[in-house]
Amino acid sequence: MHRRLPPSVVVITGGSRGIGLEAARRFAADGHAVGLIARDRGDVEDAAASIGERAVAAAADVADAAALGKAIDGIAGELGPPDVLVNNAGIGAWGAVAETGIDVFRRTIDVNYLGAVHATAAVLPGMLERHRGRIVNVGSIAGRIGAPFEAAYSASKFALAGYTESLAVELHGTGVSVALVNPGPVDTEFFARRGRAYGNRRPRPVDPGAVARLIVRAAHGGAAERYLPRWLRFAHAAKVVVPIASSVGTRRMFAGERRELRARISTNGTPKEHGKADE
Ligand SMILES: NC(=O)c1ccc[n+]([C@@H]2O[C@H](COP(=O)([O-])OP(=O)(O)OC[C@H]3O[C@@H](n4cnc5c(N)ncnc54)[C@H](OP(=O)(O)O)[C@@H]3O)[C@@H](O)[C@H]2O)c1
């Protein structure tokens, strides 16, 4: 249970599908006005229309600070200044480091990390003036434990985790706060769009609705960091306390992929870049 959030304006990046859309539905069902942002105008407008009158849509790429600022201003013009920002827009990327081009590293940082930095910069001054606001950053367990064959993605989410931790301390006592939500795998289009299906037996993908519930809880305040499933918090702690055990476990989980990579390298010689980031 959580105490009720007063009627609020909630801006959600990546609100056109998956976790972001589920979160938008839940905020709207609790009586909040929601502003959704995503790149595909048709998708984000359909998503807002499916929620109802208290939802508005704006199209922007979160990597484009000017376009994103305009989108957030447009939403604020229609609904009022944002009380809650959910930095959820994100893309995956799959590929061994030796086979991944710099463009993939740049794009994942631009979207998954700098996208949140840009959105925060757009809302933070107003929140500080009003002494009220909550920012919820959607990280990942891959932002706490390095994920093999997802180095570009992992690094972007580690950046987001570090940014969130720093900001949380800076904001203490201002009336504005920030939280990090770290899901494990979630059953959305994320994997198909990155070009590689989720391949591990554990953790099992969870329903996006469960992550949305956690985001709504995080918007109410309380814990600075949350995990789903919850036991992932202990997996993170285990990595810090017994790194060798964590590393051996992760090597075992990716034994097949590592074997394939070694085979490709011995057949082809120099690795070929083939990693891709969802565009
Ligand atoms: N699914 C998982 O297993 C998983 C696990 C841990 C964390 N997460 C994180 O959860 C968040 C949501 O993922 P999801 O699973 O819901 O993925 P999804 O179903 O692919 O949805 C991604 C959303 O982000 C938007 N988006 C992507 N790139 C964008 C950009 N450059 N600018 C603006 N919007 C953009 C998409 O719309 P457009 O394509 O139209 O822009 C869409 O609305 C991401 O940050 C992801 O890293 C996901």
Side-chain angles (χ1 to χ4, degrees), residues 14 16-17 19 39-40 60-62 88 139 153 157 184 186 188 191:
S16 65
R17 60 172 186 269
I19 295 167
R39 289 167 302 176
D40 188 304
D61 184 333
V62 293
N88 164 77
Y153 177 71
K157 292 291 186 178
V186 188
T188 67
F191 295 105

Side-chain angles (χ1 to χ4, degrees), residues 125-183:
M127 286 181 170
L128 288 170
E129 260 173 43
R130 295 187 300 277
H131 308 287
R132 168 175 148 83
R134 180 80 163 164
I135 298 166
V136 180
N137 290 336
V138 180
S140 168
I141 187 59
R144 286 303 197 187
I145 301 175
F149 301 92
E150 288 188 272
Y153 177 71
S154 243
S156 69
K157 292 291 186 178
F158 266 75
L160 185 62
Y163 170 82
T164 308
E165 268 181 23
S166 304
L167 183 59
V169 178
E170 290 180 25
L171 292 178
H172 192 75
T174 63
V176 183
S177 58
V178 60
L180 183 66
V181 169
N182 293 322

Side-chain angles (χ1 to χ4, degrees), residues 49-77:
S50 77
I51 291 173
E53 272 181 8
R54 301 274 288 153
V56 302
D61 184 333
V62 293
D64 179 341
L68 180 60
K70 227 169 120 187
I72 292 175
D73 285 351
I75 290 169

Side-chain angles (χ1 to χ4, degrees), residues 11-275:
V11 171
I12 305 177
T13 68
S16 65
R17 60 172 186 269
I19 295 167
L21 178 55
E22 285 293 328
R25 288 196 174 118
R26 275 164 209 277
F27 279 114
D30 286 349
H32 306 296
V34 291
L36 311 182
I37 298 172
R39 289 167 302 176
D40 188 304
R41 184 176 297 279
D43 284 356
V44 74
E45 286 179 352
D46 287 352
S50 77
I51 291 173
E53 272 181 8
R54 301 274 288 153
V56 302
D61 184 333
V62 293
D64 179 341
L68 180 60
K70 227 169 120 187
I72 292 175
D73 285 351
I75 290 169
E78 285 192 63
L79 301 177
D83 305 294
V84 176
L85 167 68
V86 181
N87 281 314
N88 164 77
I91 53 169
W94 173 268
V97 168
E99 299 173 321
T100 300
I102 190 67
D103 53 323
V104 175
F105 285 89
R106 282 214 179 92
R107 182 68 184 155
T108 43
I109 284 287
D110 280 348
V111 175
N112 298 350
Y113 170 51
L114 290 178
V117 174
H118 297 320
T120 302
V123 304
L124 190 56
M127 286 181 170
L128 288 170
E129 260 173 43
R130 295 187 300 277
H131 308 287
R132 168 175 148 83
R134 180 80 163 164
I135 298 166
V136 180
N137 290 336
V138 180
S140 168
I141 187 59
R144 286 303 197 187
I145 301 175
F149 301 92
E150 288 188 272
Y153 177 71
S154 243
S156 69
K157 292 291 186 178
F158 266 75
L160 185 62
Y163 170 82
T164 308
E165 268 181 23
S166 304
L167 183 59
V169 178
E170 290 180 25
L171 292 178
H172 192 75
T174 63
V176 183
S177 58
V178 60
L180 183 66
V181 169
N182 293 322
V186 188
D187 194 5
T188 67
E189 290 179 24
F190 175 88
F191 295 105
R193 283 176 181 264
R194 77 175 184 180
R196 170 94 180 195
Y198 178 69
N200 296 328
R201 285 224 314 261
R202 291 184 69 237
R204 284 229 198 93
V206 300
D207 188 83
V211 186
R213 277 197 296 278
L214 199 63
I215 290 171
V216 172
R217 273 209 295 280
H220 285 71
E225 186 164 3
R226 295 164 203 256
Y227 291 79
L228 192 75
R230 276 199 206 165
W231 62 264
L232 288 176
R233 175 184 295 282
F234 301 104
H236 174 227
K239 182 202 82 167
V240 176
V241 179
V242 266
I244 183 65
S246 175
S247 158
V248 168
T250 310
R251 283 207 300 264
R252 281 202 187 128
M253 268 175 87
F254 289 86
E257 286 87 349
R258 292 191 300 113
R259 219 173 14 251
E260 284 166 23
L261 174 65
R262 288 196 301 273
R264 279 201 302 280
I265 291 170
S266 64
T267 312
N268 304 335
T270 314
K272 302 267 183 312
E273 285 177 9
H274 72 158

